[in-house]
Every structure is written in C-alpha cells, then in structure tokens.
Amino acid sequence: MLVLTKADIKKVFTMKDAIHADKEALRMYAQGKSVVPLRVNIDIPKEQGQSLFMPAYVEELDATGIKIVSVFPKNIEIGKPSVPAQMILMDGKTGEVCAIMDGTYLTQLRTGAVQGAATDILAREDAKIAVLFGTGGQAGTQLEAMLNVRDLEEVRVFDINFERAKQFAAEMQQEFAHFNTRIIAVEDGNEAVKDADIITTVTTSRRPVFDGTLVKKGVHVNGVGAYTPEMQELPETIVQQADKVIFDTKEGVLAEAGDFIIPMQKGIVSEEDFEGDLGQVILGEVKGRETEQEITLFKSVGTAVLDVVTAHQIYKKALALNVGQSVEL
C-alpha cells in the first residue's frame, strides 16, 4: 500500500494534469462507466461542520475508492484546513487498498480542476478579468485553475473579512507570479463583478454573495462552494438568466445544492431550464457556449468519480516515479 502526502502529490501531479483527469472523469460518468452513489452527509452541529463519505467505482480504470472528507468552516480560525480529508484507493480487480493519500489536497486539487475544466470549456476565449469570492482552503486551487485555462490580466478577490482577502491576494500574487496576472483584494464584490469575464464563488454562504443583475453579457459563472440545500451563494437572477446551465452531475446538484433547490421550490426555474452535465458537453451530446454574448453557468457539488479518477492517475504516476512510502499492514 502506497502512502502519499500533499508534498508527494505535488511532485508528480500538476493542475493541468488534474484538469485533464477531471474531464476524463466526467466523460466516463456521462458514458455510464462508473458507479457513484450519492455521498452520505453527517451533520456535526456542535462544530457547525459536516463529515461526508464519498464512494465510487470506475469500470474503465478498474479502480474504486472512498474519500472521507469533513467541512469545518471554523478550522480556518485555528490555522487548520477547513476541509480535512483522506482518500482510500482500492484495486477494482482485487478489492485491496492500494493507496492512501492526502484527501485534503486531493479535494482542493480536483475541485479547482473541475472548475478549471468548466471554465476552459465554457468561458470566452478572450476572458481577461476574473473575480473570486472566498479565501478558504479551496480558494488557492480555484485561482490556480482559472490562471491555467485563461490568460487573465486581473483577478479580484473578495472575502467577508477584507484583511483575510488582502493577505490571500498577497500570498497568491507571490505564488503565481509566473502567470503575470494582477491579484488584488477588493472591498466591494458587487462593484468587482460589473465588468468581469469569469466569476467563481467558493463559499459556504447561505445568501447570494453578489448582485446578479450587475453582471455583463458573456460572463461565465462558476458556483463551487454551496453544497447543501440551505446554502445559496449564487443569486437567483443568474440561475434564471443564464443562457446555458451546466452541472458536474445533475443528479448531485439537484439533490444537494440550495443554489438550485431554492429557486426551483419558488418556481423561478425548473429542471427543463438546465442543459445537462459537463461530461455531456465534452462528448458533444449537450451544447456549451455558442456565442460571445451568452451567460454560462456551471455548478458543482463534487462527485466521488472525480476523486477516484484523479487519485488513480496520481497513484500511477507516483508508482512510475517511485514517489511515496510503501507500507504493509
């Protein structure tokens, strides 16, 4: 059994690798080549947190696995990841555990990458300005993914804590200096979105984080943070006005995401208003952006097929490069 730390994963796997892995994962999901039960969510009210258990089997890769991930927003106050996790990868032919890896970084990587995949496929090619809402544990890879798929001149970072936004922007400016993109903290999220080409939200907010009536035609919006029926970081106007609405998985989003459950309950939108899954766009079964003026919207709540496919590719690369620690139990 191979044990892989965050440092080990970074040695063998880039964001570009992860974006490719996520596109493959969603393709396989759309083709019915995976078994992905809806994840089990256990509320931990005492800590305002949740623990999630996410299993999947991917026939094409002969791989199965389960990620155990928790979402504890208050962890950021004590300097710990707000999304701690471990990934257990198993051999699909024997059922044996072949690897355990840092699921926190895997989650950050594949979650950033699925947004990167959607932005690559749906955003305008000439996108130059992006806005990122949220600076928690997922934010760094969300930013990295956007930078990898579009030649951005400026990324504006908003957080309810402006000091935290300034610190995050300064750290990211240094880490991603090679992209030659200005990364700046902003105090007014509504002002920031007015001329933005890409908007990515990665918060646990229960109310919309910006005014959807302010966005311009041609914008691409990614809703990545809200993942329960009570959370709603996307404005209902965007959900209603978007020309193309694409999901990581329709089954997961409509079962779990308040961004869509709430406006559907109000009768603002219905299931007929949504195009389908990103995997179907990749396969050419569903149309993505067709004009520069269209508003496109991508919503992700995460799916274990992303974890298993990404973990499997990390594991194969680590074996080939002799990275990680082998353990016998």
Side-chain angles (χ1 to χ4, degrees):
M1 183 173 65
L2 195 63
V3 177
L4 296 168
T5 65
K6 176 180 178 178
D8 293 331
I9 295 171
K10 282 193 162 189
K11 284 178 187 175
V12 302
F13 217 69
T14 67
M15 176 56 75
K16 284 189 181 295
D17 292 331
I19 290 170
H20 175 73
D22 278 5
K23 287 179 180 179
E24 283 292 281
L26 294 180
R27 172 189 62 77
M28 293 177 204
Y29 177 86
Q31 290 175 318
K33 294 182 177 180
S34 61
V35 179
V36 190
L38 283 177
R39 62 190 173 196
V40 175
N41 290 15
I42 298 178
D43 282 321
I44 317 291
K46 184 179 177 182
E47 301 299 334
Q48 297 175 24
Q50 288 186 319
S51 289
L52 303 88
F53 300 82
M54 303 174 63
Y57 166 64
V58 182
E59 179 184 0
E60 190 172 315
L61 301 179
D62 281 325
T64 189
I66 184 168
K67 187 176 73 178
I68 304 171
V69 56
S70 296
V71 182
F72 280 57
K74 292 195 294 185
N75 280 5
I76 197 170
E77 298 168 9
I78 55 174
K80 290 190 173 185
S82 56
V83 189
Q86 298 295 334
M87 178 71 197
I88 300 169
L89 184 68
M90 301 159 68
D91 187 314
K93 291 183 176 179
T94 67
E96 296 173 299
V97 174
C98 55
I100 296 178
M101 64 186 71
D102 180 348
T104 302
Y105 183 60
L106 175 70
T107 301
Q108 294 168 349
L109 186 62
R110 69 82 154 147
T111 305
V114 77
Q115 173 266 111
T119 300
D120 189 29
I121 292 167
L122 299 172
R124 286 176 54 142
E125 291 288 343
D126 61 353
K128 294 298 180 186
I129 297 174
V131 183
L132 177 65
F133 285 87
T135 62
Q138 298 284 338
T141 51
Q142 292 295 324
L143 174 60
E144 183 181 5
M146 288 191 288
L147 294 173
N148 265 275
V149 298
R150 288 295 182 271
D151 184 16
L152 298 174
E153 294 176 354
E154 183 174 282
V155 178
R156 301 160 183 170
V157 179
F158 178 86
D159 192 278
I160 52 172
N161 183 323
F162 183 53
E163 290 303 313
R164 197 157 64 207
K166 288 196 292 185
Q167 181 181 351
F168 175 85
E171 291 174 356
M172 295 299 103
Q173 185 72 75
Q174 185 173 2
E175 182 172 348
F176 299 126
H178 56 287
F179 285 105
N180 296 314
T181 303
R182 291 188 304 274
I183 302 170
I184 59 172
V186 296
E187 291 188 83
D188 189 338
N190 283 332
E191 192 65 31
V193 302
K194 287 181 179 178
D195 61 344
D197 302 301
I198 301 167
I199 301 169
T200 296
T201 60
V202 59
T203 76
T204 55
S205 179
R206 290 179 177 238
R207 56 189 175 87
V209 296
F210 66 93
D211 183 346
T213 65
L214 299 176
V215 304
K216 70 177 186 179
K217 289 289 186 181
V219 69
H220 172 65
V221 180
N222 299 296
V224 184
Y227 58 91
T228 73
E230 298 76 31
M231 293 178 185
Q232 189 182 21
E233 62 180 358
L234 295 176
E236 292 174 0
T237 48
I238 284 292
V239 175
Q240 185 178 32
Q241 294 174 12
D243 297 289
K244 299 286 171 59
V245 178
I246 304 294
F247 304 129
D248 58 351
T249 70
K250 184 177 180 180
E251 179 185 26
V253 170
L254 297 189
E256 299 177 358
D259 284 326
F260 286 84
I261 292 172
I262 294 170
M264 286 177 72
Q265 288 174 340
K266 292 179 179 179
I268 294 172
V269 290
S270 68
E271 196 169 326
E272 288 70 37
D273 297 316
F274 314 139
E275 272 61 40
D277 294 352
L278 192 62
Q280 294 174 296
V281 179
I282 292 168
L283 290 169
E285 297 174 355
V286 165
K287 290 181 179 179
R289 175 178 294 277
E290 294 181 274
T291 74
E292 293 188 346
Q293 295 302 305
E294 283 186 320
I295 294 175
T296 53
L297 172 60
F298 173 70
K299 176 61 188 176
S300 171
V301 292
T303 168
V305 72
L306 298 172
D307 297 303
V308 172
V309 173
T310 305
H312 181 265
Q313 293 193 13
I314 290 169
Y315 171 65
K316 291 296 185 184
K317 280 204 164 189
L319 282 181
L321 297 171
N322 197 28
V323 170
Q325 181 182 359
S326 293
V327 176
E328 287 192 21
L329 298 179

